[in-house]
Amino acid sequence: MKTKIFALAALLCAWAAQAAAAEKVDRPRLVVGVVVDQMRWDYLYRYYDQFAEGGLKRLLKEGYNFDNMHYNYLPTVTAAGHASIYTGTTPAIHGIAGNNYHLNGHPIYCVEDTTVAGVGTTSKAGKMSPRNMMVTNMCDQLRLATDFRSKVIGVALKDRASILPAGHSANAAYWFDRSTGTFITSTYYMDELPAWVRSFNKDNKTNPKEDIWILPKGLSLTTKMAIAALDGEKLGRQADQTDMLCISYSSTDVMGHKYGTRGPKTDEMYLALDKELRKLFDVLDSRIGRDKYLLFITADHAGGHNAKFLNDHKLPGGQLGYWGKLKKELSRTLAARFAGVDVIDDVNGEQVYLNLAAIKQRGLNLDEVEQAVCDEIQKYEGVQYVVPVRHLMTATIPYPIRDRILMGNCPRRSGEIQIVPRPAYYDYSYDEGTSHSHWAPYDTHVPFILMGWHIDEGHTNRPVNITDIAPTICALLKIQMPSGCVGTPLLD
């Protein structure tokens, strides 16, 4: 009798185990996020006939393509872009107001952290962390949902492009130190580099004098490091665990700033990117399984055409040649008007930070100061609008631009006055190179393609925002959205 009872109990336990397995939440083994720095959306089609099979063509053929993905704020720059992709919100909420901005009244680099030290380096390049980002991102939410069993790793040449996507609770973020020619991290994550990173650095160390950032070699090194992380951390190898690998290709941006959007250097870089993506996809197929990983690709911003290139073809555009001396000129002119008070604290990007303490101490009227600053800046060639942010909602400025300023301005971090240049006007060498940061489509329109686990081939031209990426990934994974998320899932 006891034997029958034990047998029945064992059978019931087996049924219960099967039922629990059947009811388990369906998730991929690995999520891979790929961000290509300064990749314009139209590059997908400009180079389509030159792409080989298996790389970007595979994404376009097998993935679901959102052809009308835009950034919904300004400034469109690297740090803000990477943060927005992964948080599902904008600088107004996540706090990464630019690559550089002010914090507690002082200029700061976006991922600067003086409380940590470098690991793998003694240089200041290691004193970085995600602490300045004010909200969680999708990687943090994945870690929370799995009681921190999921592993999250970030890899990029740029520190901010590795740190911000990986999030606050990441197992590690690795970035490249020019001075050592190796990948490093900080004590925010660990006290010493894992053996696999030390081995990788030994085998792949570059000459610090060689500028790999502007060469296809920078792409190749990033892919190698990403694959090393995949293997070194055994990402996606456990059936009951979803891990995440965040990869950002930085060399495309460095090349764009120097050589622009047209020419042999640009062609070489994007055809090299196509080859690197094919290598990555092949490894993911073999290590994880073609239908067991979810991958997305996008860009942190796009980039405008060089002004000389435009002008040579009778198209509008120009150079903001005065930008480097704007603070000095404004300070001198306005001090003469306001009894010697320097009302300008800083000019950073396309924002003016006022010396609010001095303005208050001297009893100056803030409205009068702001109007005077705007009047002076409006005189410069290439400036279309200048607006005090606190009067933004009543300013005579088109609402698409107004809304982007609002979504990009973070209180106590962003400037008090926003400058909006005319389309295709930048501060860079007129003869070659390009830049980015504007509200216009050439800077906001980027690729977004999903591929892999549970993704059917498809395409849409409906308008979507960069803040929709994070909630889409979270919805697919059946996890909560990030804490500051304002976007909407894109797949039913």
Side-chain angles (χ1 to χ4, degrees):
M1 184 67 178
K2 288 183 179 180
T3 302
K4 291 183 179 180
I5 293 174
F6 287 141
L8 179 60
L11 184 60
L12 290 173
C13 288
W15 285 343
Q18 288 178 351
E23 293 175 1
K24 182 183 174 184
V25 175
D26 185 23
R27 293 187 178 118
R29 291 189 178 181
L30 180 69
V31 181
V32 181
V34 178
V35 180
V36 183
D37 206 319
Q38 203 187 125
M39 184 177 181
R40 292 168 56 102
W41 161 83
D42 56 351
Y43 286 160
L44 290 173
Y45 303 101
R46 174 174 175 78
Y47 295 110
Y48 184 84
D49 292 341
Q50 300 176 65
F51 290 148
E53 297 295 330
L56 285 161
K57 268 190 179 178
R58 176 178 168 184
L59 280 167
L60 290 166
K61 290 180 178 180
E62 296 183 15
Y64 196 96
N65 185 6
F66 295 86
D67 255 333
N68 202 10
M69 169 64 71
H70 285 263
Y71 278 85
N72 53 347
Y73 63 84
L74 59 83
T76 41
V77 295
T78 295
H82 281 83
S84 298
I85 291 165
Y86 281 83
T87 63
T89 193
T90 69
I93 298 170
H94 62 56
I96 304 299
N99 295 333
N100 298 277
Y101 50 89
H102 282 210
L103 183 63
N104 300 323
H106 301 286
I108 189 172
Y109 176 59
C110 56
V111 290
E112 174 185 334
D113 187 348
T114 58
T115 70
V116 301
V119 176
T121 184
T122 57
S123 76
K124 65 179 183 181
K127 299 178 75 63
M128 306 290 167
S129 85
R131 285 195 173 104
N132 294 328
M133 189 163 64
M134 300 192 300
V135 299
T136 64
N137 71 8
M138 68 170 97
C139 298
D140 294 321
Q141 296 302 141
L142 176 61
R143 295 266 288 158
L144 279 164
T146 62
D147 291 328
F148 301 95
R149 292 189 302 274
S150 293
K151 287 187 178 181
V152 172
I153 305 291
V155 171
L157 294 186
K158 290 184 181 180
D159 46 26
R160 57 190 182 271
S162 171
I163 292 169
L164 296 171
H168 296 277
S169 63
N171 299 87
Y174 300 103
W175 57 95
F176 191 75
D177 185 352
R178 294 174 188 262
S179 68
T180 62
T182 60
F183 279 89
I184 64 169
T185 189
S186 78
T187 53
Y188 178 88
Y189 304 98
M190 63 190 71
D191 293 325
E192 63 178 358
L193 291 175
W196 69 263
V197 178
R198 297 197 301 272
S199 177
F200 180 88
N201 282 336
K202 181 180 178 181
D203 295 339
N204 295 277
K205 184 175 182 178
T206 67
N207 187 335
K209 295 181 179 180
E210 182 184 16
D211 189 6
I212 67 162
W213 293 69
I214 203 166
L215 301 172
K217 185 175 180 179
L219 302 177
S220 177
L221 189 64
T222 303
T223 304
K224 288 180 181 179
M225 181 60 177
I227 293 171
L230 184 75
D231 292 337
E233 298 292 342
K234 295 182 171 53
L235 301 179
R237 302 304 207 277
Q238 299 183 56
D240 61 345
Q241 177 174 301
T242 298
D243 299 322
M244 189 150 187
L245 177 60
C246 308
I247 308 167
S248 185
Y249 289 100
S250 306
S251 297
T252 43
D253 179 71
V254 181
M255 179 278 306
H257 281 292
K258 186 172 178 62
Y259 296 110
T261 61
R262 291 289 187 271
K265 295 290 187 180
T266 308
D267 299 346
E268 179 187 24
M269 186 66 76
Y270 278 92
L271 294 180
L273 173 68
D274 182 50
K275 293 178 181 177
E276 292 304 315
L277 290 175
R278 178 177 179 175
K279 291 178 187 175
L280 177 65
F281 299 162
D282 286 347
V283 169
L284 291 170
D285 288 348
S286 63
R287 306 281 209 280
I288 311 301
R290 196 179 181 97
D291 61 345
K292 291 181 173 59
Y293 67 90
L294 171 66
L295 181 141
F296 71 85
I297 188 168
T298 188
D300 56 346
H301 53 76
H305 295 304
N306 173 266
K308 185 178 187 301
F309 168 81
L310 292 173
N311 296 165
D312 286 347
H313 293 84
K314 301 180 181 180
L315 297 170
Q319 184 186 21
L320 303 174
Y322 55 83
W323 216 257
K325 57 185 178 182
L326 182 58
K327 179 184 184 301
K328 184 177 180 180
E329 291 186 355
L330 284 175
S331 294
R332 182 177 63 248
T333 302
L334 294 168
R337 175 169 175 177
F338 293 105
V341 179
D342 186 358
V343 298
I344 306 297
D345 183 28
D346 192 15
V347 177
N348 188 337
E350 288 153 5
Q351 295 183 340
V352 178
Y353 290 81
L354 297 178
N355 190 343
L356 296 175
I359 292 169
K360 182 178 180 180
Q361 183 180 15
R362 296 295 292 271
L364 301 178
N365 184 290
L366 183 56
D367 286 334
E368 290 182 10
V369 172
E370 289 177 333
Q371 188 59 54
V373 173
C374 291
D375 290 345
E376 287 300 318
I377 296 174
Q378 196 72 66
K379 296 175 183 178
Y380 286 92
E381 175 67 21
V383 173
Q384 189 156 16
Y385 301 103
V386 191
V387 57
V389 175
R390 68 194 188 100
H391 296 311
L392 181 62
M393 301 310 289
T394 57
T396 53
I397 185 170
Y399 76 88
I401 302 175
R402 180 200 67 190
D403 291 352
R404 283 167 172 77
I405 296 172
L406 180 66
M407 295 300 284
N409 189 277
C410 183
R412 294 180 294 282
R413 295 193 177 195
S414 299
E416 285 74 36
I417 293 176
Q418 180 72 49
I419 305 169
V420 181
R422 286 169 55 184
Y425 273 74
Y426 283 110
D427 176 34
Y428 59 74
S429 169
Y430 181 73
D431 293 324
E432 61 181 350
T434 190
S435 194
H436 51 85
S437 68
H438 292 180
W439 63 269
Y442 51 78
D443 276 353
T444 66
H445 196 180
V446 295
F448 176 48
I449 306 175
L450 287 161
M451 185 183 77
W453 177 85
H454 287 7
I455 301 298
D456 296 325
E457 181 275 332
H459 170 273
T460 182
N461 272 311
R462 67 185 175 99
V464 292
N465 292 324
I466 203 72
T467 49
D468 297 331
I469 293 179
T472 298
I473 301 300
C474 289
L476 287 167
L477 298 181
K478 294 180 174 58
I479 62 175
Q480 182 58 275
M481 297 176 186
S483 58
C485 186
V486 298
T488 303
L490 298 177
L491 297 175
D492 296 331

